[in-house]
Amino acid sequence: MRIISSDEVDACLEDRAVLETLRKAFRSSLIAPAVPDCRIERLNGLSGNFSFQPAWSDFAGQRDVGRGYVGCSLVLDLPEAPGRSSSLYILFSGSGGQPIAMIDGMRLTIWRRAGLHALAAAYLSREDTSRLLVIGETPQLPRLLSAYLTVRRINSILLAGAGRDTLKKLSGLPALSGVHIGVTENIQEAQDGADMICIAGPESNPGQVHALDRLDPPAGCHIDVLDRNANLPGELLQEARLFSSDLSDPPDPDLEWAADLKDLTQGNKAGRRYYGQRTLYLPGRRSGLADHALAAHVFLRT
């Protein structure tokens, strides 16, 4: 069995290949059932969470067990380490069932998240999108921005709430060469000129007003939200056309969802209906299909 490290994951992945691997996965017949999480009781009334997301090739449908894989992502969240999940991906041979790879799940997750958000932007943002506003920050931001640039010709990025370390990382990112990167503290004015807005996470500067409750993007803007639990204005959620990665388990079942990535990639439902429409993407809870596709892609290239 191969043990594939984070460095090896990075070495065999690039944004365009990730995007197309995910697109093909949503068009495929991969099977990714929902499995309940396991609660882990800890001390002082706290609890952790152990989640499993299995997926496998459609062996019966393809009438062949000689090709394909069975895999599962394992994610452990403990209250003693908030916001720091530990994860692995285990890949098994579809023919003999023997384990063939154990992959750094944390690094795989970063690539998968960036790829899914970029794939959504490819279908939902306007083709002439060039100005991006990023509200908040996340360690995944360099990977995410690099993925965005594979689907849209972004020439201007405004950052609201990014820390000094994030700015330093972005300034040295080859994918952002030639892109103007600026900083703003006025989110309300900055959003007026944005073609696309990324809600990346909490701001690093506590003195800055996040003002998501007053978020009012211009007509035609695409809003990409990384945290499915983000507190977004009700008016925006009611007015924008809403999309997610997997509507078999939507982020909020009370909202009216237009389509998910399977609908969009297979052409079953439309994304943006007209130029001035506002679109909004929230990630779903399930990622078994996407994780399986990327894990198989990594295994074949290491």
Side-chain angles (χ1 to χ4, degrees), residues 227-246:
D227 181 4
R228 59 177 169 267
N229 298 313
N231 186 23
L232 300 170
E235 296 83 359
L236 177 61
L237 294 173
Q238 292 296 322
E239 189 273 337
R241 187 163 164 84
L242 305 181
F243 300 85
S244 187
S245 54
D246 185 351

Side-chain angles (χ1 to χ4, degrees), residues 97-175:
Q98 67 271 27
I100 53 177
M102 183 169 66
I103 305 172
D104 185 316
M106 298 168 71
R107 196 61 189 164
L108 197 71
T109 296
I110 290 174
W111 280 95
R112 181 253 297 162
R113 285 178 175 168
L116 289 180
H117 285 272
L119 184 62
Y123 287 96
L124 303 177
S125 65
R126 301 194 319 263
E127 291 188 5
D128 63 353
T129 292
S130 63
R131 294 167 298 182
L132 171 67
L133 169 64
V134 180
I135 302 176
E137 70 170 357
T138 170
Q140 303 167 25
L141 193 55
R143 178 82 274 127
L144 178 65
L145 295 182
S146 180
Y148 282 156
L149 265 74
T150 65
V151 299
R152 291 293 178 260
R153 294 189 176 185
I154 296 172
N155 55 41
S156 174
I157 300 175
L158 265 182
L159 303 172
R164 186 172 299 175
D165 289 344
T166 297
L167 292 172
K168 185 177 181 180
K169 290 178 182 177
L170 294 180
S171 65
L173 196 64

Side-chain angles (χ1 to χ4, degrees), residues 246-298:
D246 185 351
L247 289 181
S248 63
D249 187 11
D252 186 341
D254 295 328
L255 295 175
E256 183 177 348
W257 298 94
D260 60 16
L261 288 178
K262 183 168 286 190
D263 293 322
L264 294 175
T265 56
Q266 295 182 5
N268 297 328
K269 294 184 180 179
R272 173 178 297 275
R273 286 178 168 173
Y274 55 91
Y275 187 85
Q277 186 171 47
R278 291 193 288 184
T279 55
L280 189 147
Y281 175 82
L282 275 169
R285 296 182 179 88
R286 295 173 58 186
S287 61
L289 183 148
D291 285 335
H292 181 280
L294 284 187
H297 182 89
V298 168

Side-chain angles (χ1 to χ4, degrees), residues 7-267:
D7 288 342
E8 290 174 298
V9 171
D10 286 344
C12 65
L13 290 180
E14 56 90 17
D15 294 306
R16 177 58 63 182
V18 168
L19 196 76
E20 295 308 320
T21 296
L22 294 174
R23 196 194 311 270
K24 290 177 182 177
F26 283 106
R27 290 173 174 171
S28 74
S29 57
L30 283 172
I31 298 169
V35 177
D37 294 350
C38 295
R39 182 186 176 96
I40 302 175
E41 298 296 339
R42 306 288 281 184
L43 302 179
N44 303 317
L46 300 176
S47 64
N49 189 66
F50 198 16
S51 63
F52 312 84
Q53 297 213 40
W56 54 84
S57 304
D58 183 8
F59 301 108
Q62 67 190 25
R63 297 184 179 181
D64 181 10
V65 296
R67 57 187 176 89
Y69 306 97
V70 177
C72 186
S73 64
L74 311 175
V75 181
L76 177 63
D77 291 290
L78 295 178
E80 294 84 355
R84 294 184 308 213
S85 299
S86 298
S87 62
L88 288 171
Y89 197 91
I90 310 297
L91 196 65
F92 299 84
S93 165
S95 56
Q98 67 271 27
I100 53 177
M102 183 169 66
I103 305 172
D104 185 316
M106 298 168 71
R107 196 61 189 164
L108 197 71
T109 296
I110 290 174
W111 280 95
R112 181 253 297 162
R113 285 178 175 168
L116 289 180
H117 285 272
L119 184 62
Y123 287 96
L124 303 177
S125 65
R126 301 194 319 263
E127 291 188 5
D128 63 353
T129 292
S130 63
R131 294 167 298 182
L132 171 67
L133 169 64
V134 180
I135 302 176
E137 70 170 357
T138 170
Q140 303 167 25
L141 193 55
R143 178 82 274 127
L144 178 65
L145 295 182
S146 180
Y148 282 156
L149 265 74
T150 65
V151 299
R152 291 293 178 260
R153 294 189 176 185
I154 296 172
N155 55 41
S156 174
I157 300 175
L158 265 182
L159 303 172
R164 186 172 299 175
D165 289 344
T166 297
L167 292 172
K168 185 177 181 180
K169 290 178 182 177
L170 294 180
S171 65
L173 196 64
L176 298 184
S177 176
V179 177
H180 175 266
I181 300 177
V183 177
T184 182
E185 295 184 359
N186 192 328
I187 296 174
Q188 299 309 304
E189 288 187 5
Q191 68 178 332
D192 291 339
D195 301 317
M196 179 172 163
I197 297 176
C198 171
I199 310 298
E203 296 179 354
S204 60
N205 183 354
Q208 199 173 27
V209 179
H210 203 304
L212 281 189
D213 57 337
R214 298 194 301 276
L215 186 66
D216 186 23
C221 188
H222 173 55
I223 305 98
D224 188 26
V225 186
L226 270 61
D227 181 4
R228 59 177 169 267
N229 298 313
N231 186 23
L232 300 170
E235 296 83 359
L236 177 61
L237 294 173
Q238 292 296 322
E239 189 273 337
R241 187 163 164 84
L242 305 181
F243 300 85
S244 187
S245 54
D246 185 351
L247 289 181
S248 63
D249 187 11
D252 186 341
D254 295 328
L255 295 175
E256 183 177 348
W257 298 94
D260 60 16
L261 288 178
K262 183 168 286 190
D263 293 322
L264 294 175
T265 56
Q266 295 182 5

